[in-house]
Amino acid sequence: MIARSLPGGAVCLRCRLRLLRQSTHPLLHRHAPNRFLYNQLPGLRSIANESAARLFEPEPEPENQEPEEPGRDRVLRDVEEREKKRFSRPGWDTKSFRTKTLDLRKQKHLSRNRFLTENTERLGTEALGKPAHVIVMKDEGGRRKRKARPNAQSKDSEEADDDVDVRSNIEAVLDGQGGAPTTDEVYDSIDNLRPKADTTLSKRAFGRVHKRLAEGFSNGQLHSYLHYYKEKNRSDTDTDPDPVLKKPAESDLVAVSDAWIDNMTLWVPVGNQPKDAPLSLRGYVSSSASANEKAAVRIMRECWNISIRELNNGLGEVRVKIKEKAFVLLMRGNQRFLANMVNSWLESGEKLEAFRSTQTLRFVMNKTKATMMIQLLNETLNDITIKTFPIKFVTLEPIEGYILKALERMTNTHIEISKNLQRLHIAWIQLKNRATPEFVGLEDLRHVVFRLLLTALGPRRVTMTLHAEAMEDGKEGRFITDTTSKEKLSWKDRLGQWARYILPSTTEKSETPIANPLKSLERPVEPSEPVAAGQLTDNVFFHDPRFPAHPVKWAEKRRTSTRVSFGQLLHSQRPTAPPSLPKLLTADHPRVFVPVTPHPVRLARLARHGVNSPASHKLVESPAMSTIVMRFWPAPEMGVMDRSDGGVGDDEHKIPLGKNERKRTERRRRERQAADPALELRIATNDREILGVESLCAITGTSIADVMLPSAPVDMRFTQSEYVPLEGTSRDILAAWQPLADFLGHARLDLEAGKLEVPPRQRFQLPRRLFPATDNQRREEGPPAEHQDPNDLLSATYTFVGLEMHRSVSVPFEGHTLTYTSIEAGQGGGRRAEVTLEPAIAAALGGRGKASRSRVEEVDADKLQEDFLACAHRFATADDDLWSGFPANDQRS
């Protein structure tokens, strides 16, 4: 039954309709005498109260009826009007009876804009022998303004239409409520409960939304929505089945780039949670929760990223899965990027963990700090730089994977070969301070990788020969694996396994001296007197119109430097073992030289008179010198290395040939590059600042002669270099030469901080006579070779291939110069100390007058070579105590 809320004391609509039917029914005329009885006995009113008496008063005639108050209920009036119309139809005698209305409503009064309801209450006493009553006015509240209702339609047809429309609307609503809701309606209803403004709610607000989801929908509907939402937001390439993992752009912490981050979990509180509990439910639902409650929490956490504010202030964890290349870069350099974050931001109880097996980082901290840390991580990964260069600039053979892995660890980069096996892609995290103008023009990690590969796998720029002492009959040595010299080797040689060939030691000392197997050297031996600046007494200028004039010139005559180093010759045991003697002398088997120095105390006692000098002799030494040695090789001919994007070279250098012909052409090009002169720049320092340019030499050829001494503690390596120096009037004049000024002007040589960084390449002008004839014609078009001036300058691009820091001290030794040098060659060459012997003029003159550069012509080259080889052999085969320590009967003083 639909009825309006009526005032207290009134009957409902059903009772009123029942009274109306009774009063209008024809059989009710037999009750008419009661009406007249009531009119004839007015005394009955005294036994009832006034309000009850009014219930039985006859209703006034319609024409005399007063209009109802606006606030009265109009339902009764509408019913009466419909009944009048129904009974006024033909056949009804409306004059024979009257309609009587039963009014049971309490009387209301309006006083000072307040409604007061009249009510009768007993006093509990008697008045005039009867129970006493009192009228109580009950306050019903203030007067309310009601909206005016539209006037009733006057026509019967319009009233009927309204009734039909109301019934139709009610039936449609009831029919719709009776059927099962569609899936879209369920999803829309769940979406309507999602908070629109903020995803961080208080615990109470979170509970309200959770309660509506859990109690308003079934478990099947909630899981269906969960699956629907995941599928709707899953990309075509997203195959991860874990529903807790979020895309980087959909994280509940901060939106990050998906270039280097695969996915990340929700931030969840850390606590005593069951290990098998889903990650999204930890801290938000108990283990005893119903399935509906768990499904509701999963929707709020996994789909809507909603969290509780009170939980966010405590410790929690979030896991970030990073792509392989980016994760490898983060792990390089002792995890320096992550270590900086830990040292700068983390407090007690907070952690940052890395899992290599899954390439995942785990942040344990509050949500605010986790957001900041992931933002810093995202900024760091966005600084990843990728550059490439062709492999053929380094080698024509495939590069082994273990070599690239070692190079990655050394340079903190990630290196991979392109799909067509033609290029190397180098990726690294660019430091933010490298973007400042101070570092513009300096070599980057791509060039570092390039030069390390070039020096390790590039064309050989030296000629090498091997000699060995003659073995006595019945004596046979063996190869002993070296395990102590790794740090002295270059980066590529440290990856191999090496062994030295030695003879077994005996307690009896051999009376037969060790013969020197090396009788002569490939190049003539010249004294090693340094060329001091200031030799040019007259002003010599270059008048080539293409280059500015400079008071420097390249020397007309080529010179040869000779020195011998003492150490151990190690032969490679991988991938194949070295052959035995004498086959080893002719086989081109890989070998390296590891320098060995005498015992420091014995070395300090060396003086002019030889190895076995008495202790009374004082050490005669030159001042200690510190020198930076930089080396340059001819750069690849194509212009790819000058491009930041690592694009393809110029069209004129492309070779549209077959595969085999292309390899032969590249091999010939590499041979020509190996024949071009290399450059060696020496810069004098005092370990705190740069003093000036010491020398710049163009090295046109290098030869190495290795001498194996299996019965001695050490072997020997003779190195001869043919060079042409750049001559100038002073160090300042050399440094002012335009190519050197450009190179050193952009270099960053901070000795106190240990930072030595230089540009990756530089153009130098060298005389035509220093290049091979075919190279001259290739570099520059012009007249035929017979009509070209050999002193014409050719501009060539050179690439920087490495530097070493030398600290050395020299002493005279049997007329020659013995030098002890400490070498720091950086990550490519390692750290080592070596003792070298160089020929001097004093030994060649035999004490005939004072040695000077002007007396070089008086030196007998053959005699100097013979004396130098003998001196080197005596030094290498001296008493073992020179290389191992003091003899037992030696007294230290």
Side-chain angles (χ1 to χ4, degrees), residues 118-139:
E118 179 182 331
N119 197 5
T120 303
E121 298 289 343
R122 289 188 178 185
L123 292 179
T125 59
E126 294 184 355
L128 301 178
K130 298 179 181 179
H133 296 76
V134 65
I135 298 176
V136 179
M137 307 299 291
K138 183 177 180 181
D139 189 359

PDB file of all heavy atoms in Angstrom, residues 118-139:
ATOM      1  N   GLU A 118      -3.008  19.422  19.697  1.00  0.00           N
ATOM      2  CA  GLU A 118      -3.876  19.347  20.880  1.00  0.00           C
ATOM      3  C   GLU A 118      -4.021  17.901  21.303  1.00  0.00           C
ATOM      4  O   GLU A 118      -4.309  17.031  20.500  1.00  0.00           O
ATOM      5  CB  GLU A 118      -5.245  19.932  20.549  1.00  0.00           C
ATOM      6  CG  GLU A 118      -6.224  19.873  21.705  1.00  0.00           C
ATOM      7  CD  GLU A 118      -7.585  20.413  21.310  1.00  0.00           C
ATOM      8  OE1 GLU A 118      -7.621  21.285  20.412  1.00  0.00           O
ATOM      9  OE2 GLU A 118      -8.568  19.952  21.884  1.00  0.00           O
ATOM     10  N   ASN A 119      -3.812  17.633  22.636  1.00  0.00           N
ATOM     11  CA  ASN A 119      -3.901  16.292  23.172  1.00  0.00           C
ATOM     12  C   ASN A 119      -4.496  16.361  24.580  1.00  0.00           C
ATOM     13  O   ASN A 119      -4.376  17.380  25.266  1.00  0.00           O
ATOM     14  CB  ASN A 119      -2.526  15.627  23.209  1.00  0.00           C
ATOM     15  CG  ASN A 119      -2.641  14.126  23.365  1.00  0.00           C
ATOM     16  OD1 ASN A 119      -3.739  13.586  23.357  1.00  0.00           O
ATOM     17  ND2 ASN A 119      -1.512  13.468  23.518  1.00  0.00           N
ATOM     18  N   THR A 120      -5.166  15.297  24.989  1.00  0.00           N
ATOM     19  CA  THR A 120      -5.824  15.249  26.296  1.00  0.00           C
ATOM     20  C   THR A 120      -5.094  14.278  27.186  1.00  0.00           C
ATOM     21  O   THR A 120      -4.814  13.142  26.785  1.00  0.00           O
ATOM     22  CB  THR A 120      -7.297  14.819  26.162  1.00  0.00           C
ATOM     23  OG1 THR A 120      -7.970  15.721  25.282  1.00  0.00           O
ATOM     24  CG2 THR A 120      -7.973  14.820  27.509  1.00  0.00           C
ATOM     25  N   GLU A 121      -4.772  14.704  28.396  1.00  0.00           N
ATOM     26  CA  GLU A 121      -4.049  13.890  29.349  1.00  0.00           C
ATOM     27  C   GLU A 121      -4.799  13.873  30.673  1.00  0.00           C
ATOM     28  O   GLU A 121      -5.451  14.855  31.048  1.00  0.00           O
ATOM     29  CB  GLU A 121      -2.624  14.444  29.578  1.00  0.00           C
ATOM     30  CG  GLU A 121      -1.751  14.455  28.354  1.00  0.00           C
ATOM     31  CD  GLU A 121      -1.343  13.075  27.931  1.00  0.00           C
ATOM     32  OE1 GLU A 121      -1.463  12.139  28.756  1.00  0.00           O
ATOM     33  OE2 GLU A 121      -0.900  12.919  26.762  1.00  0.00           O
ATOM     34  N   ARG A 122      -4.793  12.723  31.366  1.00  0.00           N
ATOM     35  CA  ARG A 122      -5.412  12.622  32.687  1.00  0.00           C
ATOM     36  C   ARG A 122      -4.508  13.227  33.744  1.00  0.00           C
ATOM     37  O   ARG A 122      -3.299  13.083  33.685  1.00  0.00           O
ATOM     38  CB  ARG A 122      -5.692  11.165  33.040  1.00  0.00           C
ATOM     39  CG  ARG A 122      -6.823  10.568  32.236  1.00  0.00           C
ATOM     40  CD  ARG A 122      -7.164   9.193  32.791  1.00  0.00           C
ATOM     41  NE  ARG A 122      -8.269   8.600  32.080  1.00  0.00           N
ATOM     42  CZ  ARG A 122      -8.846   7.435  32.410  1.00  0.00           C
ATOM     43  NH1 ARG A 122      -8.359   6.763  33.449  1.00  0.00           N
ATOM     44  NH2 ARG A 122      -9.867   6.954  31.725  1.00  0.00           N
ATOM     45  N   LEU A 123      -5.206  13.863  34.785  1.00  0.00           N
ATOM     46  CA  LEU A 123      -4.453  14.474  35.866  1.00  0.00           C
ATOM     47  C   LEU A 123      -4.256  13.535  37.037  1.00  0.00           C
ATOM     48  O   LEU A 123      -3.477  13.805  37.938  1.00  0.00           O
ATOM     49  CB  LEU A 123      -5.170  15.736  36.362  1.00  0.00           C
ATOM     50  CG  LEU A 123      -5.205  16.904  35.366  1.00  0.00           C
ATOM     51  CD1 LEU A 123      -5.958  18.053  35.965  1.00  0.00           C
ATOM     52  CD2 LEU A 123      -3.812  17.335  34.977  1.00  0.00           C
ATOM     53  N   GLY A 124      -4.947  12.433  37.046  1.00  0.00           N
ATOM     54  CA  GLY A 124      -4.835  11.505  38.151  1.00  0.00           C
ATOM     55  C   GLY A 124      -5.675  11.907  39.382  1.00  0.00           C
ATOM     56  O   GLY A 124      -5.553  11.304  40.439  1.00  0.00           O
ATOM     57  N   THR A 125      -6.545  12.889  39.235  1.00  0.00           N
ATOM     58  CA  THR A 125      -7.441  13.335  40.309  1.00  0.00           C
ATOM     59  C   THR A 125      -8.859  13.392  39.775  1.00  0.00           C
ATOM     60  O   THR A 125      -9.077  13.159  38.572  1.00  0.00           O
ATOM     61  CB  THR A 125      -7.030  14.718  40.831  1.00  0.00           C
ATOM     62  OG1 THR A 125      -7.077  15.662  39.743  1.00  0.00           O
ATOM     63  CG2 THR A 125      -5.600  14.677  41.390  1.00  0.00           C
ATOM     64  N   GLU A 126      -9.793  13.711  40.654  1.00  0.00           N
ATOM     65  CA  GLU A 126     -11.196  13.825  40.262  1.00  0.00           C
ATOM     66  C   GLU A 126     -11.668  15.265  40.423  1.00  0.00           C
ATOM     67  O   GLU A 126     -11.228  15.981  41.317  1.00  0.00           O
ATOM     68  CB  GLU A 126     -12.063  12.911  41.112  1.00  0.00           C
ATOM     69  CG  GLU A 126     -11.778  11.435  40.877  1.00  0.00           C
ATOM     70  CD  GLU A 126     -12.715  10.558  41.669  1.00  0.00           C
ATOM     71  OE1 GLU A 126     -13.517  11.113  42.458  1.00  0.00           O
ATOM     72  OE2 GLU A 126     -12.629   9.323  41.490  1.00  0.00           O
ATOM     73  N   ALA A 127     -12.550  15.611  39.565  1.00  0.00           N
ATOM     74  CA  ALA A 127     -13.178  16.938  39.618  1.00  0.00           C
ATOM     75  C   ALA A 127     -14.693  16.738  39.482  1.00  0.00           C
ATOM     76  O   ALA A 127     -15.128  16.191  38.465  1.00  0.00           O
ATOM     77  CB  ALA A 127     -12.632  17.836  38.518  1.00  0.00           C
ATOM     78  N   LEU A 128     -15.435  17.178  40.523  1.00  0.00           N
ATOM     79  CA  LEU A 128     -16.881  17.030  40.541  1.00  0.00           C
ATOM     80  C   LEU A 128     -17.245  15.562  40.444  1.00  0.00           C
ATOM     81  O   LEU A 128     -18.193  15.165  39.753  1.00  0.00           O
ATOM     82  CB  LEU A 128     -17.532  17.832  39.406  1.00  0.00           C
ATOM     83  CG  LEU A 128     -17.257  19.346  39.425  1.00  0.00           C
ATOM     84  CD1 LEU A 128     -17.916  20.006  38.215  1.00  0.00           C
ATOM     85  CD2 LEU A 128     -17.778  19.977  40.718  1.00  0.00           C
ATOM     86  N   GLY A 129     -16.456  14.711  41.074  1.00  0.00           N
ATOM     87  CA  GLY A 129     -16.761  13.285  41.113  1.00  0.00           C
ATOM     88  C   GLY A 129     -16.386  12.536  39.863  1.00  0.00           C
ATOM     89  O   GLY A 129     -16.717  11.365  39.743  1.00  0.00           O
ATOM     90  N   LYS A 130     -15.697  13.171  38.946  1.00  0.00           N
ATOM     91  CA  LYS A 130     -15.285  12.514  37.689  1.00  0.00           C
ATOM     92  C   LYS A 130     -13.779  12.697  37.487  1.00  0.00           C
ATOM     93  O   LYS A 130     -13.195  13.651  37.992  1.00  0.00           O
ATOM     94  CB  LYS A 130     -16.054  13.120  36.508  1.00  0.00           C
ATOM     95  CG  LYS A 130     -17.548  12.920  36.606  1.00  0.00           C
ATOM     96  CD  LYS A 130     -18.247  13.550  35.426  1.00  0.00           C
ATOM     97  CE  LYS A 130     -19.765  13.380  35.503  1.00  0.00           C
ATOM     98  NZ  LYS A 130     -20.468  14.003  34.385  1.00  0.00           N
ATOM     99  N   PRO A 131     -13.139  11.793  36.725  1.00  0.00           N
ATOM    100  CA  PRO A 131     -11.701  11.955  36.450  1.00  0.00           C
ATOM    101  C   PRO A 131     -11.408  13.270  35.745  1.00  0.00           C
ATOM    102  O   PRO A 131     -12.118  13.656  34.804  1.00  0.00           O
ATOM    103  CB  PRO A 131     -11.369  10.760  35.550  1.00  0.00           C
ATOM    104  CG  PRO A 131     -12.425   9.759  35.827  1.00  0.00           C
ATOM    105  CD  PRO A 131     -13.696  10.529  36.165  1.00  0.00           C
ATOM    106  N   ALA A 132     -10.419  13.948  36.224  1.00  0.00           N
ATOM    107  CA  ALA A 132     -10.080  15.253  35.660  1.00  0.00           C
ATOM    108  C   ALA A 132      -9.125  15.069  34.486  1.00  0.00           C
ATOM    109  O   ALA A 132      -8.227  14.223  34.507  1.00  0.00           O
ATOM    110  CB  ALA A 132      -9.440  16.131  36.744  1.00  0.00           C
ATOM    111  N   HIS A 133      -9.348  15.865  33.453  1.00  0.00           N
ATOM    112  CA  HIS A 133      -8.518  15.862  32.253  1.00  0.00           C
ATOM    113  C   HIS A 133      -7.962  17.244  32.012  1.00  0.00           C
ATOM    114  O   HIS A 133      -8.533  18.229  32.479  1.00  0.00           O
ATOM    115  CB  HIS A 133      -9.317  15.398  31.025  1.00  0.00           C
ATOM    116  CG  HIS A 133      -9.791  13.991  31.110  1.00  0.00           C
ATOM    117  ND1 HIS A 133     -10.864  13.599  31.895  1.00  0.00           N
ATOM    118  CD2 HIS A 133      -9.314  12.863  30.500  1.00  0.00           C
ATOM    119  CE1 HIS A 133     -11.057  12.294  31.773  1.00  0.00           C
ATOM    120  NE2 HIS A 133     -10.125  11.819  30.921  1.00  0.00           N
ATOM    121  N   VAL A 134      -6.904  17.302  31.231  1.00  0.00           N
ATOM    122  CA  VAL A 134      -6.311  18.581  30.855  1.00  0.00           C
ATOM    123  C   VAL A 134      -5.890  18.504  29.387  1.00  0.00           C
ATOM    124  O   VAL A 134      -5.507  17.451  28.878  1.00  0.00           O
ATOM    125  CB  VAL A 134      -5.092  18.907  31.748  1.00  0.00           C
ATOM    126  CG1 VAL A 134      -3.967  17.900  31.539  1.00  0.00           C
ATOM    127  CG2 VAL A 134      -4.588  20.319  31.472  1.00  0.00           C
ATOM    128  N   ILE A 135      -6.006  19.586  28.713  1.00  0.00           N
ATOM    129  CA  ILE A 135      -5.612  19.668  27.296  1.00  0.00           C
ATOM    130  C   ILE A 135      -4.150  20.093  27.230  1.00  0.00           C
ATOM    131  O   ILE A 135      -3.768  21.128  27.767  1.00  0.00           O
ATOM    132  CB  ILE A 135      -6.507  20.648  26.534  1.00  0.00           C
ATOM    133  CG1 ILE A 135      -7.955  20.152  26.567  1.00  0.00           C
ATOM    134  CG2 ILE A 135      -6.010  20.830  25.106  1.00  0.00           C
ATOM    135  CD1 ILE A 135      -8.937  21.102  25.913  1.00  0.00           C
ATOM    136  N   VAL A 136      -3.313  19.296  26.579  1.00  0.00           N
ATOM    137  CA  VAL A 136      -1.862  19.551  26.450  1.00  0.00           C
ATOM    138  C   VAL A 136      -1.560  19.894  24.993  1.00  0.00           C
ATOM    139  O   VAL A 136      -1.984  19.175  24.084  1.00  0.00           O
ATOM    140  CB  VAL A 136      -1.042  18.328  26.883  1.00  0.00           C
ATOM    141  CG1 VAL A 136       0.452  18.597  26.726  1.00  0.00           C
ATOM    142  CG2 VAL A 136      -1.367  17.953  28.316  1.00  0.00           C
ATOM    143  N   MET A 137      -0.850  21.007  24.801  1.00  0.00           N
ATOM    144  CA  MET A 137      -0.454  21.438  23.455  1.00  0.00           C
ATOM    145  C   MET A 137       1.014  20.978  23.214  1.00  0.00           C
ATOM    146  O   MET A 137       1.957  21.484  23.837  1.00  0.00           O
ATOM    147  CB  MET A 137      -0.560  22.939  23.305  1.00  0.00           C
ATOM    148  CG  MET A 137      -1.932  23.483  23.697  1.00  0.00           C
ATOM    149  SD  MET A 137      -3.255  22.803  22.653  1.00  0.00           S
ATOM    150  CE  MET A 137      -2.871  23.594  21.121  1.00  0.00           C
ATOM    151  N   LYS A 138       1.201  19.998  22.345  1.00  0.00           N
ATOM    152  CA  LYS A 138       2.533  19.435  22.069  1.00  0.00           C
ATOM    153  C   LYS A 138       3.166  20.143  20.870  1.00  0.00           C
ATOM    154  O   LYS A 138       2.535  20.295  19.822  1.00  0.00           O
ATOM    155  CB  LYS A 138       2.400  17.945  21.778  1.00  0.00           C
ATOM    156  CG  LYS A 138       3.749  17.258  21.561  1.00  0.00           C
ATOM    157  CD  LYS A 138       3.550  15.767  21.347  1.00  0.00           C
ATOM    158  CE  LYS A 138       4.880  15.075  21.126  1.00  0.00           C
ATOM    159  NZ  LYS A 138       4.722  13.630  20.883  1.00  0.00           N
ATOM    160  N   ASP A 139       4.451  20.581  21.043  1.00  0.00           N
ATOM    161  CA  ASP A 139       5.171  21.308  19.982  1.00  0.00           C
ATOM    162  C   ASP A 139       5.623  20.317  18.916  1.00  0.00           C
ATOM    163  O   ASP A 139       6.336  19.356  19.178  1.00  0.00           O
ATOM    164  CB  ASP A 139       6.381  22.023  20.575  1.00  0.00           C
ATOM    165  CG  ASP A 139       7.038  22.953  19.568  1.00  0.00           C
ATOM    166  OD1 ASP A 139       6.575  23.032  18.414  1.00  0.00           O
ATOM    167  OD2 ASP A 139       8.046  23.606  19.931  1.00  0.00           O
TER     168      ASP A 139
END
